[in-house]
Amino acid sequence: MRLVIARCTVDYEGRLTAHLPEAVRLVMVKADGCVAVHADGGAYKPLNWMNAPNTLREYDGLWEVTNPKGEKLVITMHEILADTTHDLGEDPGLQKDGVEAHLQELLAERPHVLEEGMELIRREYPTALGPVDMLCVDASGRTVAVEIKRRGEIDGVEQLARYVERLDLDPRLAPVRGILVAQLVSPQARTLAEARGLETREVDYDGLRQIESATPRLFEL
Amino acid sequence: MRIRAERDDLADIFSRANRAIGARTAIPVLQGLLCEVSGSNLWVTGTDHEMTVRASMEVEVMEEGRVVIPGRLLADAVRRMPAGQVTIGTSDGEVEIVGRGPRFSIRPLNTEDFPEIAESTGEGVEVDGEELAAAINQVVVAASTDTARPILTGVLFESSEEGLRLVATDSYRLAVRDLAGVGLEGTGLVPARGLRELPRTIGAAKITARLGEREAVFSSERGTLRLRLIEGSFPKYRSLVPESYPNQVIIKKEDVLEALGRVSLVAEDHIPVRLKLSDGGVDVTVTRQDVGGETEHIAGVYTGEQEEVTVAFNPRYLADGVGAVEGEDVRIQVIDGVRPSVVDGGDGSNFIYLLMPVRI
């Protein structure tokens, strides 16, 4: 990963033409050849970028980035303020949202938080559409599919509905209840869940973490 | 295969064998009960590979044979028949269940696919069935249900010269129950889920138990329960139990459970219940910032090196431990608010429940 902070102007020619007037910017050159020009604002989106594969040619005070599609990015370097290169190594890839994964772990240890008498059958119960976060059984013996999200939105309800529909095909499990669990469930998701015959639960993640941290274990796992 | 028997007797044997049919397996034939008829007996087997229930009963036999019938449907169909005799038989590739009027026709599952269940081999030891079931109930409360940590979902069966010891822990608490004089040989980690089913499936006054290399087998006049042992090393629990406790209080079990019931109205799991042990008993306090609180005094006998000692627990874990104690009195032994406390029934108790206090 090469990071260059420079006073520069940028010109792009391709699907359209664009010009960035002279200013101090961050130019990122990634190991795979991607080039991105960032301003000091905005979360992630660069002002201009070129996806790999690219060819970067460096001339005196000028960088020229071209790709096979005929696009061209010209960065005129008026003043280079910093130029560093770091080897970031192998990336482990995107993992499941940390909060979701931890919430699942906490609820697996305390399924009764969702409902009195609730017991865990297993985590990541496999279905043909992918694993449902937790399969439980309620106090009356009915199977419960639990999908855990950080925020309960409409897509989470739809995902749970598909799992429940699938699990209902299994006579050992049917009829299956479905519960969407999240720190916060949006009103739209709540309405859709009700319409689909599903339930929603908001759980206190911080509270659950508090139990975990405040309840020391007898031994380390 | 064709048999006839009383509806209630058939419903009982099918529902017991059905307890082994769980939601864990994706193998279709394991949704079924293997029904085998020979001599004058019907043998019914249900299994999910981890747990197997096999039971038999005397029936009127018209034709011997074997068939695998979808378990839940079979049990429900028989249970909903009119009272009296029910006939179950195979005919033209289907299973007929006939009562006084209603007649079910059910497609059987492939008998060839049903796993071979090895017959029990080796000698077992006879134990008091009620005592074993009670001991199991006392320790399984401390077992984990999280299959991500399979070792903690089991109950350790550990034999010694004094007898048999059952141990379970989910890492927050640990329950130990000694069964003196039970000469079961060997050591093994038996799934708590299966053990919970023991009273319902084969519970009887006398049970023969055997611990093999791979499975634990429990038999009674009502049938056989086979549980595949969990592989792995159980935590070294002995060093967790402190040798002595300088402070203790003896209180009525019923009083504590009632108090904890009131506490639970205010406290969720993450709100600890505080116990102040001092002369005259225990002051129970729970406070929840956004709700309110509850306080009460439980009369009891306190003895201790300190004039008073305060300790806090997760109320659910404490209630589980107190509820598991046999007898009218409960003893809570405390070192301080940090090191493990013990809940038991007093001197000579064959059960201890070790519980970590919550930091306050």
Side-chain angles (χ1 to χ4, degrees):
Chain A
M1 170 75 82
R2 184 176 174 191
L3 303 172
V4 177
I5 296 178
R7 183 179 303 281
C8 60
T9 52
V10 182
D11 291 281
Y12 166 78
E13 287 173 30
R15 289 155 294 164
L16 49 88
T17 56
H19 173 72
L20 298 175
E22 185 178 325
V24 176
R25 300 189 178 91
L26 165 67
V27 182
M28 292 169 59
V29 183
K30 295 189 178 178
D32 65 353
C34 289
V35 178
V37 182
H38 285 269
D40 197 4
Y44 66 94
K45 203 171 175 184
L47 298 167
N48 222 322
W49 71 96
M50 291 269 283
N51 283 332
N54 287 325
T55 305
L56 170 61
R57 290 189 186 86
E58 286 186 51
Y59 304 102
D60 188 20
L62 188 137
W63 287 15
E64 189 180 84
V65 188
T66 54
N67 70 11
K69 293 180 200 164
E71 295 169 298
K72 187 160 84 172
L73 191 70
V74 177
I75 306 170
T76 307
M77 302 288 187
H78 302 291
E79 183 186 5
I80 292 184
L81 303 170
D83 186 349
T84 59
T85 301
H86 302 274
D87 183 1
L88 303 190
E90 195 75 20
D91 189 82
L94 182 67
Q95 291 193 337
K96 191 168 186 174
D97 179 286
V99 173
E100 277 181 30
H102 193 208
L103 201 47
Q104 186 191 115
E105 195 178 307
L106 294 169
L107 288 170
E109 285 195 332
R110 300 167 186 82
H112 59 267
V113 167
L114 298 175
E115 190 174 291
E116 193 62 38
M118 190 83 87
E119 284 182 22
L120 178 72
I121 295 173
R122 68 172 279 186
R123 281 157 73 171
E124 302 288 347
Y125 185 86
T127 77
L129 302 174
V132 63
D133 286 339
M134 291 189 351
L135 196 71
C136 298
V137 58
D138 70 15
S140 70
R142 195 167 160 192
T143 312
V144 185
V146 178
E147 188 60 27
I148 299 164
K149 297 288 177 200
R150 191 171 177 173
R151 274 186 65 87
E153 301 287 0
I154 280 175
D155 56 348
V157 177
E158 283 169 345
Q159 186 185 1
L160 176 63
R162 289 195 294 273
Y163 287 146
V164 170
E165 194 181 0
R166 198 76 203 171
L167 293 167
D168 261 336
L169 297 175
D170 188 335
R172 295 166 303 157
L173 306 177
V176 178
R177 287 172 60 196
I179 304 179
L180 177 70
V181 176
Q183 281 181 277
L184 194 69
V185 179
S186 73
Q188 296 88 339
R190 209 182 291 272
T191 306
L192 182 66
E194 278 173 23
R196 298 268 171 95
L198 303 171
E199 299 158 57
T200 56
R201 294 273 191 290
E202 286 184 352
V203 289
D204 179 0
Y205 174 54
D206 293 333
L208 286 166
R209 286 175 65 192
Q210 210 179 323
I211 308 173
E212 193 192 36
S213 60
T215 313
R217 295 178 192 269
L218 290 160
F219 52 88
E220 289 304 314
L221 296 172
Chain B
M1 182 205 99
R2 187 164 294 272
I3 56 114
R4 184 158 48 216
E6 276 298 312
R7 177 198 67 175
D8 292 346
D9 295 337
L10 286 170
D12 172 62
I13 197 169
F14 292 142
S15 74
R16 287 191 289 123
N18 256 332
R19 305 294 308 180
I21 299 180
R24 287 157 190 259
T25 174
I27 304 169
V29 76
L30 298 186
Q31 295 169 26
L33 294 178
L34 174 65
C35 299
E36 298 169 291
V37 176
S38 66
S40 59
N41 281 307
L42 164 69
W43 292 86
V44 182
T45 307
T47 184
D48 68 354
H49 281 308
E50 288 181 4
M51 167 164 64
T52 301
V53 176
R54 185 165 162 81
S56 72
M57 63 181 279
E58 215 166 283
V59 292
E60 183 186 336
V61 176
M62 282 90 96
E63 187 187 349
E64 294 188 341
R66 65 203 302 261
V67 62
V68 178
I69 310 171
R72 186 178 283 189
L73 183 53
L74 172 64
D76 287 346
V78 168
R79 200 175 59 242
R80 293 192 181 208
M81 283 290 175
Q85 298 258 302
V86 172
T87 302
I88 302 173
T90 51
S91 172
D92 296 331
E94 294 204 323
V95 178
E96 292 175 342
I97 305 170
V98 185
R100 292 185 306 127
R103 177 183 179 281
F104 280 91
S105 179
I106 296 173
R107 284 185 192 84
L109 300 167
N110 191 352
T111 310
E112 302 301 313
D113 293 342
F114 201 85
E116 284 290 326
I117 308 293
E119 281 300 316
S120 182
T121 55
E123 292 271 311
V125 296
E126 195 174 81
V127 296
D128 183 312
E130 285 181 12
E131 189 186 9
L132 178 64
I136 288 169
N137 279 338
Q138 283 181 289
V139 295
V140 290
V141 294
S144 172
T145 54
D146 185 357
T147 48
R149 297 191 176 100
I151 286 164
L152 302 185
T153 65
V155 173
L156 179 70
F157 276 55
E158 195 178 44
S159 60
S160 68
E161 284 184 7
E162 292 80 39
L164 174 67
R165 171 171 278 193
L166 309 186
V167 190
T169 179
D170 64 359
S171 83
Y172 296 104
R173 58 258 175 90
L174 173 100
V176 181
R177 171 66 150 90
D178 287 321
L179 286 153
V182 174
L184 188 65
E185 283 182 17
T187 292
L189 198 51
V190 187
R193 182 181 80 92
L195 287 172
R196 287 190 184 97
E197 298 294 345
L198 187 142
R200 275 186 287 212
T201 52
I202 62 146
K206 290 287 172 203
I207 286 178
T208 303
R210 185 170 62 78
L211 214 50
E213 269 185 30
R214 292 191 179 162
E215 63 176 1
V217 183
F218 303 92
S219 311
S220 77
E221 60 189 14
R222 299 180 71 211
T224 303
L225 173 68
R226 313 173 79 95
L227 302 174
R228 192 168 67 187
L229 298 182
I230 298 168
E231 290 181 11
S233 299
F234 194 75
K236 292 183 172 55
Y237 71 92
R238 289 175 192 276
S239 59
L240 301 173
V241 185
E243 285 180 1
S244 64
Y245 295 87
N247 312 295
Q248 67 167 45
V249 67
I250 296 173
I251 39 186
K252 292 280 174 216
K253 173 180 163 181
E254 205 57 40
D255 291 349
V256 192
L257 289 177
E258 283 180 9
L260 291 173
R262 285 185 285 271
V263 160
S264 69
L265 297 177
V266 180
E268 285 182 350
D269 253 3
H270 61 282
I271 309 289
V273 56
R274 287 167 189 248
L275 307 184
K276 188 175 87 177
L277 283 56
S278 61
D279 196 25
V282 181
D283 290 320
V284 179
T285 310
V286 62
T287 309
R288 188 171 167 191
Q289 207 169 16
D290 53 340
V291 175
E294 197 256 345
T295 60
E296 60 183 275
H297 178 77
I298 303 172
V301 178
Y302 172 75
T303 49
E305 289 178 359
Q306 294 156 256
E307 199 169 307
E308 63 176 48
V309 58
T310 299
V311 62
F313 297 109
N314 174 311
R316 174 178 287 270
Y317 292 168
L318 179 60
D320 283 346
V322 171
V325 171
E326 288 178 330
E328 290 185 0
D329 291 334
V330 170
R331 177 172 66 177
I332 302 174
Q333 294 176 288
V334 176
I335 299 173
D336 51 31
V338 180
R339 282 174 282 185
S341 300
V342 157
V343 176
D344 66 15
D347 285 335
S349 175
N350 50 22
F351 169 75
I352 65 162
Y353 182 86
L354 193 69
L355 177 62
M356 277 303 275
V358 176
R359 284 188 287 266
I360 46 172

